[in-house]
């Protein structure tokens, strides 16, 4: 099957300069602030975005070099298929974070609750709309019994053992 | 900035054979069923996914030919920046749907609540984890006052005027 190709629409400036120490989930870093610079040619697409308190950011996990079909979250100690985890080491390393949008200045989005590494290329920005979440009861498999909370509170380790998960 | 390139991990088989008549949001099509065939080489990544009742599917909106920075949702009648909408006509046409996972048979995922077009290439599958949604109050800008519900209930029109939005 053919590959698909995307051109980044912007770039993240974040206090995390490398994979180590990054929160495993944006929601585990509620007070961490960062900015997204949307490239000038895409700025017109931001109109009316400021009315939304939260945005969904799709970004390229550009520091991932070792994709694997099996993830071993260190805070869990068991092996899981990568598609059943939020590990960044995925066949297509696309990060998905829901972050708070504090304000927009021109082409610069000030965001809060960030688990992205500095320099991450941004692929898309969507408004976060809670009405699109499932209305029915949800089961979370191996993350039940409080493990989702363990994931949220953990941070990535060193690069070799890093199975940091990215956000929702 | 350099482009990023992804290789599809699977493909969607859906009753929607073209862009017309597709629900604008997966949640507006709760009873529509479809399957995702995960290509054999990625099947090991599905381990433990079946415990999750819902999954996040990132897919390539392969029928989008006319990206625009401005979207005019027909059920709203006003112009909005594309990043403040769920229009599929985005600079990088990446669809994001939260769907119910009914069961997995080998490399085939049976899903429900589908707004994807038949043949859409799948880029990534992540477990849906409600704990990763914002815990704080959410504002939805121009979609306030029941407009999010209008979006969910609408369906796409013909191809020329199609500004169908994709899911959450």
């Amino acid at each position: 099957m053919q590959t698909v190709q995307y051109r980044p629409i912007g770039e993240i400036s974040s206090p995390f300069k490398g994979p180590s120490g990054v929160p495993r989930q944006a929601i585990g870093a509620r007070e961490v602030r960062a900015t997204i610079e949307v490239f000038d040619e895409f700025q017109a697409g931001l109109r009316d975005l400021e009315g939304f308190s939260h945005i969904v950011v799709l970004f390229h996990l550009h520091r991932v070099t070792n994709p694997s079909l099996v993830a071993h979250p260190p805070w869990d100690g068991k092996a899981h298929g990568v598609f059943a985890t939020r590990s960044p080491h995925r066949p297509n390393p696309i990060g998905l974070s829901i972050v708070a949008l504090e304000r927009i200045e021109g082409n610069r989005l000030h965001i809060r609750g960030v688990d992205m590494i500095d320099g991450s290329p941004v692929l898309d920005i969507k408004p976060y709309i809670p009405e699109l979440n499932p209305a029915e009861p949800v089961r979370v498999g191996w993350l039940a019994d409080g493990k989702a909370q363990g994931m949220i509170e953990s941070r990535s380790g060193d690069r070799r053992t890093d199975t940091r998960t990215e956000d929702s």
Side-chain angles (χ1 to χ4, degrees), chain A:
Chain A
M1 175 167 269
Q2 279 196 311
T3 60
V4 299
Q5 203 164 316
Y6 297 123
R7 198 157 57 98
I9 59 152
E11 189 176 301
I12 292 162
S13 293
S14 127
F16 303 116
K17 302 306 178 193
S20 193
V22 179
R24 284 175 205 280
Q25 303 298 331
I27 202 171
R30 280 217 183 83
E31 297 312 316
V32 177
R33 288 179 166 81
T35 58
I36 297 173
E37 182 196 343
V38 172
F39 302 139
D40 288 344
E41 64 191 286
F42 299 108
Q43 188 176 337
L46 297 176
R47 180 174 156 187
D48 295 339
L49 185 61
E50 202 158 26
F52 293 84
S53 60
H54 294 77
I55 56 176
V56 180
V57 182
L58 298 181
F59 57 104
H60 182 57
L61 295 155
H62 67 307
R63 297 289 289 268
V64 169
T65 52
N66 48 344
S68 169
L69 292 177
V70 180
H72 298 82
W75 46 272
D76 177 57
K78 297 199 186 86
H80 306 281
V82 71
F83 300 126
T85 76
R86 297 293 189 127
S87 166
H89 304 283
R90 342 180 49 86
N92 292 315
I94 306 178
L96 193 177
S97 287
I98 302 172
V99 300
L101 176 62
E102 297 204 309
R103 67 184 191 283
I104 300 179
E105 288 174 352
N107 66 339
R108 197 168 293 272
L109 278 58
H110 293 263
I111 59 177
R112 181 175 46 79
V114 169
D115 61 348
M116 301 114 144
I117 294 174
D118 191 51
S120 299
V122 175
L123 301 175
D124 197 10
I125 296 168
K126 302 178 194 284
Y128 175 71
I129 304 169
E131 283 86 348
L132 299 181
N133 294 332
E136 55 210 14
V138 169
R139 279 181 299 108
V140 293
W142 68 272
L143 283 170
D145 302 325
K147 279 196 184 160
Q149 202 55 39
M151 174 180 71
I152 287 168
E153 286 163 9
S154 65
R155 280 168 187 263
S156 60
D158 69 33
R159 296 211 55 175
R160 279 187 313 143
T161 62
D162 180 20
T163 53
R164 177 174 81 85
T165 57
E166 32 83 36
D167 185 25
S168 78

